[in-house]
Amino acid sequence: MTAAFRFFDSSNAAGVSLTESLVLTAPSAPSGRPAPAQRVLPLRRPGRWIATAVVLVLVSQAAHGLLTNPFYQWDRFAYWSVRPVILEGLSITLQVAAYSAVLGLAGGILLALGRLSANPVLRSVSWTYVWLLRSVPLIVVLLFLYNLSALYPTLSVGVPFGPAFFTFDESRLATDIVVAVVGLSLSEAAYAAEVVRAGVLSVDQGQHEAAAALGLPKRYQFARIVFPQALRSIVPAYVNQLIGLVKATSLVFYVSLLDLFGSVQSLGSTYPGDVVPLLLVATFWYVVLTSVVSVIQFYVERYYARGALRTVPPTPLQRARTGLRELRDRFRKETAR
């Protein structure tokens, strides 16, 4: 292969151009034929292998201590993990988390619209709500609602400082599960409002201008053009928020609702010798619930990434199949030599 380069000699008064040829030849065997391709060896990384060995040793030691320590009482763990009282508490946890997630998201959308509104009253009230509920701990909100009947024995709807149209007995309405759902929803709505607001602001400004140029009313601009595009940022972030909500349901025990954590605490008081296996039971079920939410989060993010990425990330099953296929191809190449 021949490549020609042209150089200009500035010392030459006549401006004569010189041409130099650079010849690149591939290495050849003694017989004149090209040499066979050599195998490229990967770069050695001793630090990576040392770190892997250290991590494996630490993980194996932790697993050995977890399985062989009699203090954990794994037989009692197997006994308590599927008891009806535990499963009933798990059912209450699922109900509270589901209701709070839906109501919290609905309240968050309304608060986000208030914060994005041009009305100064709506904007100020929404900002104050988000600021206050994100500042107050969730346990304080739950305890305040649990004792709300002492402040307001009856709730009424009517004209301020005038006659009441409807009157409700607060003590009958505010059951334990209602207090838990309302408290979690009020707190969750403050965080969901920021997630929704950030998603709406992430939509390109040109989309807002295009929607306005079509002459659509504001509500149709938001419902048909802006909000569907904002869901790409809202849904994955809010699904991630659900993981914190599932763990936050453990606080409803303090308003006398025997959820999963409440059932474990009650049984621990009755059977003090089984406190550790009961805590392991609670840990196990919370890990299962958050793992399910994490799987949902992965597929939701993968679904909404279709319009932003050229290729969507592979699922764990697809990764496993690809890894097995690469191992099989490598094994065939090694055995064919």
Side-chain angles (χ1 to χ4, degrees):
M1 181 174 56
T2 304
F5 299 91
R6 185 176 298 274
F7 301 95
F8 182 76
D9 188 3
S10 58
S11 62
N12 192 342
V16 179
S17 62
L18 304 177
T19 303
E20 180 182 353
S21 298
L22 177 63
V23 180
L24 303 178
T25 58
S28 58
S31 59
R33 292 175 300 177
Q38 297 182 356
R39 183 181 178 184
V40 178
L41 297 177
L43 182 64
R44 299 183 182 273
R45 303 180 183 274
R48 179 183 298 177
W49 289 104
I50 294 175
T52 303
V54 171
V55 170
L56 290 177
V57 169
L58 294 177
V59 170
S60 60
Q61 286 182 343
H64 179 268
L66 188 65
L67 296 175
T68 58
N69 192 338
F71 189 71
Y72 290 111
Q73 306 179 55
W74 291 108
D75 55 338
R76 302 298 296 170
F77 166 81
Y79 172 78
W80 286 115
S81 59
V82 292
R83 297 298 297 174
V85 63
I86 296 294
L87 297 181
E88 184 178 354
L90 178 63
S91 175
I92 294 176
T93 296
L94 290 174
Q95 294 179 36
V96 173
Y99 294 148
S100 302
V102 175
L103 295 177
L105 180 59
I109 294 175
L110 295 178
L111 289 170
L113 292 178
R115 290 205 61 185
L116 296 172
S117 174
N119 190 318
V121 176
L122 295 178
R123 190 168 60 249
S124 300
V125 171
S126 301
W127 181 89
T128 303
Y129 180 94
V130 173
W131 164 74
L132 182 62
L133 267 294
R134 290 202 304 174
S135 303
V136 179
L138 177 58
I139 185 62
V140 176
V141 176
L142 291 173
L143 292 176
F144 183 83
L145 292 176
Y146 186 68
N147 297 280
L148 189 63
S149 59
L151 298 174
Y152 303 99
T154 59
L155 299 177
S156 59
V157 178
V159 180
F161 308 104
F165 301 142
F166 304 100
T167 302
F168 307 95
D169 188 356
E170 199 273 339
S171 61
R172 293 184 179 181
L173 292 177
T175 59
D176 294 340
I177 191 169
V178 170
V179 170
V181 171
V182 171
L184 287 172
S185 300
L186 291 176
S187 180
E188 189 68 17
Y191 294 95
E194 293 301 290
V195 173
V196 174
R197 187 174 69 90
V200 173
L201 293 178
S202 67
V203 178
D204 187 78
Q205 188 63 30
Q207 299 295 319
H208 296 268
E209 297 173 353
L214 293 176
L216 298 176
K218 287 290 185 179
R219 61 180 182 276
Y220 285 104
Q221 294 180 25
F222 179 80
R224 299 296 181 85
I225 297 178
V226 177
F227 191 67
Q229 298 182 64
L231 285 175
R232 181 182 300 170
S233 302
I234 293 173
V235 174
Y238 188 69
V239 173
N240 185 57
Q241 185 72 21
L242 292 181
I243 296 178
L245 177 62
V246 171
K247 294 185 293 184
T249 56
S250 60
L251 296 176
V252 302
F253 165 70
Y254 295 98
V255 294
S256 303
L257 186 62
L258 292 180
D259 66 323
L260 175 60
F261 181 73
S263 301
V264 167
Q265 284 287 88
S266 179
L267 291 173
S269 301
T270 307
Y271 303 93
D274 291 347
V275 172
V276 172
L278 285 170
L279 291 177
L280 289 176
V281 169
T283 302
F284 168 75
W285 282 116
Y286 279 119
V287 168
V288 170
L289 294 179
T290 54
S291 299
V292 171
V293 177
S294 299
V295 172
I296 295 174
Q297 177 189 0
F298 171 79
Y299 282 97
V300 169
E301 291 181 351
R302 186 173 183 270
Y303 176 81
Y304 281 98
R306 294 182 303 174
L309 302 177
R310 295 183 182 274
T311 56
V312 295
T315 63
L317 183 59
Q318 292 174 345
R319 292 179 182 177
R321 289 178 179 176
T322 303
L324 291 176
R325 189 182 302 110
E326 291 178 354
L327 289 176
R328 182 180 58 188
D329 295 341
R330 185 180 302 177
F331 177 77
R332 289 178 178 178
K333 290 181 181 179
E334 293 293 338
T335 54
R337 294 181 179 179

